[in-house]
Amino acid sequence: MDFEYRNILKAPLSEEELLGLANLGGISIVDLINKKSKGFKDLKIDPLKISINEAVNIIMENPRTMIRPLFSDGSSIVTGFKEKEVEVLAASQ
């Protein structure tokens, strides 16, 4: 699978990109936040009370709060370390 690596700390995602990724995955942008990450825990925010706008701001201001790695083929996404799902995504190329 050919892929493009993007360091989101050096090249953060825009609001449009974040919303697009969530849309590809059929998930809420809130689901792109790694609620177990130290970065998110340090914010002391109730994960059950995050709005879409708050989620966008959280990820844009604290990119380390986003679930990583994230793989996309342009039509779907795989978040986290899910080897079998990444293999399926790669095979669909």
Side-chain angles (χ1 to χ4, degrees):
M1 172 179 184
D2 291 331
F3 64 92
E4 177 183 323
Y5 172 78
R6 179 169 175 177
N7 182 336
I8 61 171
L9 301 178
K10 292 182 180 179
L13 298 168
S14 68
E15 180 177 352
E16 293 78 26
E17 289 173 309
L18 289 169
L19 293 170
L21 287 170
N23 187 48
L24 282 178
I27 58 175
S28 166
I29 194 160
V30 175
D31 296 325
L32 291 176
I33 295 175
N34 180 353
K35 293 154 191 85
K36 295 179 182 179
S37 73
K38 180 181 179 338
F40 181 75
K41 288 180 182 179
D42 288 348
L43 296 174
K44 298 184 187 326
I45 297 172
D46 183 344
L48 300 176
K49 296 182 179 179
I50 300 172
S51 71
I52 291 172
N53 289 335
E54 289 171 320
V56 168
N57 289 332
I58 288 168
I59 295 172
M60 288 180 67
E61 293 172 12
N62 306 283
R64 291 178 187 205
T65 61
M66 191 168 103
I67 292 177
R68 298 171 312 220
L70 187 142
F71 297 92
S72 175
D73 63 358
S75 61
S76 63
I77 64 171
V78 174
T79 59
F81 293 99
K82 300 174 185 162
E83 187 175 344
K84 294 205 183 293
E85 289 181 34
V86 171
E87 288 173 6
V88 170
L89 185 70
S92 69
Q93 294 284 321

